[in-house]
Amino acid sequence: MPRHAMPVSVVHGQPIAMRDGTILRGDLYRPDEDARHRTVLMRSPYGERTARMMPIMPLLEAGMAVLFQHCRGRGDSDGTFTPWVDEGDDGVDTVDWITAQPWSNGEVVATGGSYIAGCALQLASRRPPALKAVVASVTPHDFYEGLTYVGGALALGSAHHWSTLQGLLGLLQAAATGDTTAYERLGAQMALLGTPPSEDGPLREDPVAREFPFWTEWVDHPERDAYWEELASSLRHDRIEVPVLHTAGWFDAFLMGTLENHRRLGGPLVIGPWTHLSQDAAAGELTFGTAASAQMAGLEIQQIAHLAGFPAGGAPVRIFVMGANVWRDEQEWPPARAVGVPFYLHPDGLLSPRPPAADAEPTRFPHDPAAPVPTHGGGLLLPDPRNIGPRDQRVNAEHPGIVRFTTPPLEHDMEVTGAVAATLYGTTTAPGADWTVKLVDVWPDGREMNVLDSIRRSSSDDVVHEVDLVATSQVFAAGHRIRVEIAGSNYPRFDLHPSLKEGEQTLFHDAGRPSFITLPVMP
């Protein structure tokens, strides 16, 4: 078919006044013609470089204009960046500005990933009449659970890394506006960017708080209290009415959030074997085949069609089944035909659908805060970008704080697709304890590749510990073994229990207290 040149009009640093007089700026792209266009809005706290990663030209080719706007106090926008607080109002004011322009057809859609997708959902919850659709990728559903805290524990590595990055971006913005002291502080902040959280002293006094004071607020509110409830009021799922397309990754830090957004809002759902920052065919130490990449799966085409208002096609849910390494369409998430099968933890290290003996002895293991179990892979964001996704867990084979429960080699392939959770019965001699659970695929060649992990923080009085491992779609192939690892720490993915006391943890297996993990097995 014939191809034609496409003149494009670009305005760099387009100023837009908010209701309180603050000027936000962004880059505006639109087809250079007299026609009116639907506009794609992206609002980011990550500065100018983020725009280079967005599919600007494909959106223009689809006949839409694009506004990439910097949040308050970021990029070249004025004001002060306060995470999550201003995004709803600022989004509404920006939509009002767009629809008043002569090139606008009065329709706006919003898209993005992570915080940018959160901005889109916060905007949707304000119900501006001009907003027609949202694409929300790898984004939380809540500002406390699944983002800053998981199972009662601080998501230390990810939260610290993001806070350090935001402190750096704040200094860059301050330097650009003439703050000469910002240049002097940039070096110290850059050093923090690749540094794990300090193990010494109170977390609230970590150096990251010097340039990002919200860190202290998060650490000071470990429970879901009025502080978090006020933030939650800025994202009301019950007020979102526009169609939302959700994209998730099996190894994304916010898999829980995307699945919960989908549960509450409906709309198409795509889940690939991806991490938070990559939608390639490889994650961690595994490659899932060429078809696994978002590009080969046609994800961008599907997202642009959703934004452009084209009729939805295909199944409502599309998932990548790891192990089999194939895409599969589903009619709902989680698949209704999956059967939840309890796999019991036996005192001899066996993992089996068969319950242990009624009088089975407990398993005991130590927790030493001075020598926590090191994080090795998983759905997270750490200063080391290699420490994500599936990685060989043999690196922790000699750690005394881990107990393992393993099936015999499987005689047939077993597919686990859906929600995964563990119920542990246990006590501790310390003032409180963390109970971490990791689901592992043990290969015939000896590799031990993590699939899922999570945590539950408990007091010394708690005996039952419910651990939400969220979800997966994983084929454990014939000859492989399924393993569950239990420990009292996973550092720095999660902070150490605040008691910082050594203790012995006891895991029960008897008839009244059978510890188990529930796996959704596909028939």
Side-chain angles (χ1 to χ4, degrees):
M1 60 182 296
R3 300 182 62 88
H4 303 284
M6 180 187 219
V8 175
S9 173
V10 180
V11 179
H12 179 66
Q14 172 67 58
I16 303 175
M18 301 294 102
R19 65 189 66 184
D20 63 356
T22 301
I23 302 299
L24 304 189
R25 297 176 178 84
D27 295 337
L28 174 64
Y29 309 81
R30 58 186 180 86
D32 192 10
E33 55 189 37
D34 294 334
R36 296 173 181 266
H37 301 279
R38 175 178 282 203
T39 302
V40 181
L41 174 61
M42 293 178 274
R43 305 190 61 256
S44 170
Y46 297 116
E48 181 269 338
R49 286 183 60 87
T50 312
R52 306 178 201 173
M53 303 167 62
M54 297 297 181
I56 304 295
M57 283 309 302
L59 293 168
L60 291 170
E61 291 169 350
M64 294 179 284
V66 180
L67 175 60
F68 182 90
Q69 184 185 63
H70 304 291
C71 296
R72 291 180 179 236
R74 293 295 179 260
D76 53 1
S77 287
D78 298 342
T80 301
F81 179 64
T82 305
W84 312 309
V85 169
D86 299 299
E87 311 308 355
D89 286 347
D90 289 351
V92 170
D93 294 347
T94 303
V95 168
D96 289 344
W97 180 88
I98 291 171
T99 56
Q101 304 309 304
W103 43 263
S104 169
N105 71 351
E107 297 180 347
V108 178
V109 291
T111 186
S114 196
Y115 191 100
I116 304 172
C119 289
L121 292 175
Q122 286 178 282
L123 168 63
S125 72
R126 300 302 179 93
R127 292 181 175 173
L131 188 68
K132 302 304 178 184
V134 166
V135 168
S137 301
V138 294
T139 196
H141 73 288
D142 184 71
F143 305 117
Y144 175 78
E145 182 60 35
L147 173 60
T148 313
Y149 285 83
V150 175
L154 177 66
L156 178 63
S158 297
H160 188 272
H161 180 55
W162 194 80
S163 298
T164 306
L165 173 63
Q166 288 302 326
L168 176 64
L169 291 170
L171 284 173
L172 291 173
Q173 202 261 2
T177 56
D179 183 350
T180 56
T181 67
Y183 288 105
E184 301 170 4
R185 289 142 47 202
L186 272 171
Q189 190 67 17
M190 285 291 291
L192 290 177
L193 193 60
T195 305
S198 172
E199 298 182 46
D200 302 320
L203 277 176
R204 70 184 315 276
E205 298 176 7
D206 190 276
V208 72
R210 290 196 301 260
E211 306 297 346
F212 193 70
F214 306 101
W215 169 261
T216 301
E217 295 183 9
W218 300 347
V219 172
D220 283 349
H221 294 273
E223 305 288 340
R224 189 183 182 90
D225 56 14
Y227 173 82
W228 297 107
E229 289 298 336
E230 182 177 359
L231 286 173
S233 66
S234 69
L235 178 52
R236 290 272 306 276
H237 290 81
D238 61 330
R239 290 185 53 82
I240 297 177
E241 297 177 332
V242 298
V244 181
L245 166 61
H246 310 269
T247 304
W250 292 128
F251 300 102
D252 174 39
F254 307 135
L255 175 62
M256 173 193 292
T258 303
L259 295 181
E260 184 62 17
N261 284 328
H262 172 260
R263 186 187 72 81
R264 297 185 187 187
L265 301 175
L269 172 67
V270 180
I271 316 175
W274 307 319
T275 66
H276 189 68
L277 297 177
S278 172
Q279 295 179 335
D280 293 333
E285 297 175 6
L286 289 180
T287 299
F288 295 98
T290 304
S293 73
Q295 181 179 9
M296 293 299 293
L299 178 63
E300 184 178 280
I301 296 172
Q302 182 180 0
Q303 291 174 332
I304 291 175
H306 182 84
L307 293 171
F310 299 150
V317 176
R318 192 179 191 210
I319 62 172
F320 189 87
V321 184
M322 299 180 293
N325 293 347
V326 294
W327 287 98
R328 189 171 69 217
D329 291 341
E330 296 285 349
Q331 293 305 307
E332 76 280 306
W333 180 265
R337 65 188 186 281
V339 178
V341 179
F343 278 71
Y344 294 92
L345 283 54
H346 289 242
D348 60 357
L350 176 67
L351 181 67
S352 170
R354 173 179 56 82
D359 58 350
E361 292 295 317
T363 299
R364 294 179 173 87
F365 59 96
H367 165 63
D368 181 0
V373 176
T375 296
H376 196 65
L380 67 166
L381 294 168
L382 288 178
D384 181 359
R386 299 165 299 178
N387 196 5
I388 56 173
R391 303 196 72 192
D392 195 336
Q393 299 303 300
R394 286 179 293 183
V395 69
N396 289 331
E398 302 302 320
H399 198 286
I402 305 174
V403 289
R404 299 169 177 84
F405 304 87
T406 312
T407 66
L410 299 176
E411 296 181 2
H412 307 282
D413 290 358
M414 189 175 86
E415 180 185 333
V416 173
T417 295
V420 180
T423 299
L424 307 180
Y425 292 86
T427 59
T428 179
T429 60
D434 291 332
W435 299 84
T436 70
V437 180
K438 185 176 292 182
L439 180 65
V440 179
D441 182 8
V442 182
W443 292 48
D445 62 10
R447 282 180 289 172
E448 303 171 3
M449 310 305 294
N450 55 293
V451 178
L452 285 174
D453 68 83
S454 194
I455 190 170
R456 170 57 61 182
R457 176 154 293 171
S458 301
S459 72
S460 58
D461 297 329
D462 295 331
V463 177
V464 184
H465 317 283
E466 302 287 351
V467 186
D468 182 2
L469 283 88
V470 190
T472 192
S473 182
Q474 172 75 44
V475 170
F476 294 89
H480 288 226
R481 293 177 292 160
I482 304 173
R483 174 171 292 167
V484 171
E485 296 184 354
I486 309 295
S489 55
N490 183 350
Y491 186 86
R493 173 151 164 63
F494 305 111
D495 69 325
L496 298 174
H497 193 279
S499 71
L500 294 178
K501 299 293 185 181
E502 288 188 55
E504 183 180 72
Q505 293 177 230
T506 299
L507 184 68
F508 296 109
H509 308 283
D510 56 78
R513 299 168 295 184
S515 298
F516 60 92
I517 187 170
T518 302
L519 301 180
V521 178
M522 296 292 279

